[in-house]
Amino acid sequence: MDENRPYMVYLPPTYETGENTYPVIYLLDGDIHRFKGFVGVLESLSTGTLESQVQEAIVIAIPNTNRSRDLTPSSLREWKFKGRVLETFKQTGNAKQFAKFLKKELIPAVDTKYRTSQRRVLVGESFGGLFAAYTLIESPSVFTDYLIIDPTSLWDNDYLNLSLNAGNRDKKFNSRVYFAFANNSHLGDIGLTNYKWGSTFASSVIDNNDAISQQQYFENETHGTVAFLAWYNGLKTLIPTTE
Amino acid sequence: MDENRPYMVYLPPTYETGENTYPVIYLLDGDIHRFKGFVGVLESLSTGTLESQVQEAIVIAIPNTNRSRDLTPSSLREWKFKGRVLETFKQTGNAKQFAKFLKKELIPAVDTKYRTSQRRVLVGESFGGLFAAYTLIESPSVFTDYLIIDPTSLWDNDYLNLSLNAGNRDKKFNSRVYFAFANNSHLGDIGLTNYKWGSTFASSVIDNNDAISQQQYFENETHGTVAFLAWYNGLKTLIPTTE
């Protein structure tokens, strides 16, 4: 990436005293607050606090340096929807490079430094969800599990479905995937279409998937609030202790 | 209490750099995992991670030294329900003394050491919920808010309702109270009765309350798993930023 990329690490309660290996969860948009929030969910669910419903895991939180650059899969100066400019950006379209950084640099570094299993979960929300979905299409085997939260399906005029239908129509998936969608109908056409396109993409993935996968719609949560219940339900779906 | 009582402290993100005072949340059964889990919910909800829906707050987690002694309001060696012994204990019935410790020692110590507001939230689950309900009946003004999670309403043959109906029938409440109940129907009569008695108690409190109060039933959660959604919904109900 031609830059320093710091990251934060959470080690599970039994890490220090045991010799087990652990799944690794990569958390996008990994600022300190999101990191502590996510770790709180994981720590509760993986200990006696909530009956050890999910596996203990390592968390690697990756803060942004240039969000729109790293998390978007195509280059757009102006992001438009039905002729209307939603947002303008200095840099976009670097997802391929960021995915390569994860695969070739960060994951090997983490695997060398910590006792990791082969299980890798990618957690992304909004643009992070767009990036996770892009990675699922283009390099699904980099991660074994995908927790995709209200992805920006509106990106580049239905980028995700177009991409899937273009080069990957007959693609068979074999990754565990959990999609969470929020109720953004207060945003009108933008919110409704983002859900429609996202849900269509999710259905295509789920219908062609040999692994456990599902999508869930949260009527009472919006784009900015859905993450928490998505983490809670997503972790229980993807890495239960019962598997 | 004639013993050392350690506690853990969480200070909110803006504490170090500002001069504000903050509500204080007292978390019962406050072991390290529950503490980290609860703090994760609070940190997410009180920062931009989830749109700052709830107020920032200080958390004081109180680990147990003798759980059945401190959290139960009456002395029972054998805890029975319909003639059947549910559990036997070495010590019970010390809730009055524990409440006094909170009021006379812990709360003043915290108020001296940290920048606290007058807002105090007590969070208790199971026996901790029983204790919180007991405190609400006997010394409601020690806390301004009560987050009561699947309380052990089965204690001492409907202790809570009997106590409310005996000395406190016409009691008017003026504390914010949020009750969460789990679906424990898999436990048969025990689970169903615990909910029935708990819900009856909650209704009495809510019907005679001048402050915002509510109860919520979680169909898909059990006694051991309901805490998380209770924290999430309870904090949004009790200390929203919109008030």
Side-chain angles (χ1 to χ4, degrees):
Chain A
M1 304 292 291
D2 280 333
E3 61 184 5
N4 281 319
R5 295 297 303 228
Y7 56 91
M8 289 176 280
V9 181
Y10 161 83
L11 298 176
T14 61
Y15 190 93
E16 290 299 336
T17 54
E19 299 189 353
N20 287 345
T21 61
Y22 298 88
V24 185
I25 302 174
Y26 292 83
L27 181 67
L28 299 173
D29 290 320
D31 64 77
I32 182 67
H33 303 309
R34 185 170 279 99
F35 176 54
K36 285 169 75 177
F38 183 84
V39 159
V41 182
L42 177 63
E43 175 107 1
S44 298
L45 280 170
S46 63
T47 63
T49 306
L50 297 176
E51 298 191 338
S52 303
Q53 295 173 72
V54 315
Q55 298 169 42
E56 287 189 75
I58 295 165
V59 178
I60 305 292
I62 312 165
N64 294 312
T65 56
N66 186 329
R67 186 170 197 253
S68 69
R69 179 195 67 188
D70 291 347
L71 299 181
T72 55
S74 57
S75 194
L76 291 181
R77 276 199 169 271
E78 288 191 332
W79 175 26
K80 290 184 185 174
F81 174 65
K82 296 189 177 174
R84 175 177 155 199
V85 176
L86 298 181
E87 205 169 339
T88 60
F89 300 101
K90 286 191 176 160
Q91 278 183 289
T92 53
N94 213 31
K96 188 174 181 180
Q97 192 63 23
F98 187 60
K100 194 174 161 194
F101 157 71
L102 296 180
K103 181 179 177 178
K104 301 282 192 188
E105 295 186 62
L106 183 57
I107 291 172
V110 168
D111 284 345
T112 301
K113 193 160 180 187
Y114 302 103
R115 296 196 313 272
T116 61
S117 73
Q118 292 304 304
R119 198 77 178 269
R120 278 182 217 117
V121 185
L122 180 61
V123 181
E125 173 188 350
S126 193
F127 270 15
L130 174 64
F131 176 82
Y134 162 82
T135 307
L136 176 65
I137 299 172
E138 298 298 337
S139 325
S141 64
V142 177
F143 298 91
T144 54
D145 298 64
Y146 292 82
L147 203 168
I148 299 176
I149 305 166
D150 222 36
T152 311
S153 312
L154 225 52
W155 181 256
D156 201 357
N157 193 32
D158 205 10
Y159 178 93
L160 291 175
N161 286 304
L162 293 175
S163 171
L164 195 60
N165 290 334
N168 304 284
R169 184 187 288 273
D170 300 320
K171 195 177 191 74
K172 270 294 204 184
F173 293 94
N174 192 18
S175 312
R176 289 197 181 205
V177 189
Y178 171 89
F179 289 95
F181 294 102
N183 181 351
N184 300 313
S185 54
H186 61 290
L187 300 176
D189 199 14
I190 287 176
L192 295 169
T193 305
N194 194 63
Y195 173 55
K196 193 176 79 176
W197 289 351
S199 179
T200 299
F201 176 75
S203 295
S204 298
V205 169
I206 292 164
D207 292 345
N208 294 291
N209 200 338
D210 291 331
I212 287 171
S213 55
Q214 72 167 86
Q215 58 176 311
Q216 196 168 5
Y217 178 71
F218 293 88
E219 176 76 29
N220 297 319
E221 302 288 347
T222 64
H223 189 67
T225 69
V226 72
F228 212 74
L229 296 182
W231 296 338
Y232 181 70
N233 288 290
L235 288 172
K236 291 199 290 180
T237 302
L238 296 173
I239 55 167
T241 41
T242 50
E243 72 178 5
Chain B
M1 304 292 290
D2 280 333
E3 62 184 4
N4 282 319
R5 295 297 303 230
Y7 56 92
M8 290 177 281
V9 181
Y10 161 84
L11 297 176
T14 61
Y15 189 92
E16 289 299 337
T17 54
E19 298 189 355
N20 287 345
T21 60
Y22 298 88
V24 185
I25 302 173
Y26 291 84
L27 181 66
L28 299 173
D29 290 321
D31 63 78
I32 181 68
H33 304 308
R34 185 170 281 100
F35 177 55
K36 285 170 75 176
F38 183 84
V39 159
V41 181
L42 178 63
E43 174 107 2
S44 298
L45 280 170
S46 63
T47 63
T49 305
L50 297 177
E51 297 190 338
S52 304
Q53 295 173 72
V54 314
Q55 300 168 42
E56 289 188 74
I58 296 165
V59 178
I60 305 292
I62 311 164
N64 294 313
T65 56
N66 186 330
R67 186 170 198 256
S68 69
R69 179 196 67 188
D70 291 346
L71 300 181
T72 56
S74 57
S75 194
L76 292 180
R77 278 200 169 271
E78 287 192 332
W79 176 25
K80 288 184 187 175
F81 174 65
K82 295 190 177 174
R84 176 178 155 198
V85 176
L86 298 181
E87 205 169 339
T88 60
F89 300 100
K90 285 191 179 160
Q91 278 183 286
T92 53
N94 213 32
K96 189 175 181 179
Q97 191 63 23
F98 187 60
K100 193 174 161 194
F101 157 72
L102 297 180
K103 180 179 178 179
K104 302 282 191 186
E105 294 186 62
L106 184 58
I107 291 172
V110 168
D111 284 345
T112 301
K113 192 160 181 188
Y114 302 102
R115 297 197 312 272
T116 61
S117 73
Q118 292 304 305
R119 197 77 177 268
R120 279 182 217 118
V121 185
L122 180 61
V123 181
E125 172 188 351
S126 193
F127 269 15
L130 174 64
F131 175 82
Y134 162 82
T135 307
L136 175 65
I137 299 172
E138 299 297 338
S139 327
S141 64
V142 177
F143 299 90
T144 54
D145 298 64
Y146 292 82
L147 204 168
I148 300 176
I149 305 166
D150 222 35
T152 311
S153 312
L154 226 51
W155 181 257
D156 201 356
N157 193 33
D158 204 10
Y159 177 93
L160 291 175
N161 286 305
L162 292 174
S163 170
L164 195 61
N165 290 335
N168 304 283
R169 183 188 289 273
D170 301 319
K171 196 178 191 72
K172 269 292 202 185
F173 293 94
N174 192 19
S175 312
R176 290 198 181 205
V177 190
Y178 171 89
F179 290 95
F181 294 102
N183 182 349
N184 300 312
S185 54
H186 61 290
L187 301 176
D189 198 14
I190 288 176
L192 295 169
T193 305
N194 193 64
Y195 173 55
K196 192 176 79 176
W197 289 352
S199 178
T200 299
F201 176 76
S203 296
S204 298
V205 169
I206 292 165
D207 292 346
N208 295 293
N209 201 338
D210 291 330
I212 287 172
S213 55
Q214 72 167 87
Q215 60 175 311
Q216 195 168 7
Y217 177 72
F218 293 88
E219 176 77 29
N220 297 317
E221 302 288 346
T222 64
H223 189 66
T225 69
V226 72
F228 212 73
L229 295 182
W231 296 338
Y232 181 70
N233 288 289
L235 287 172
K236 291 198 291 180
T237 303
L238 296 174
I239 54 167
T241 41
T242 51
E243 73 178 2

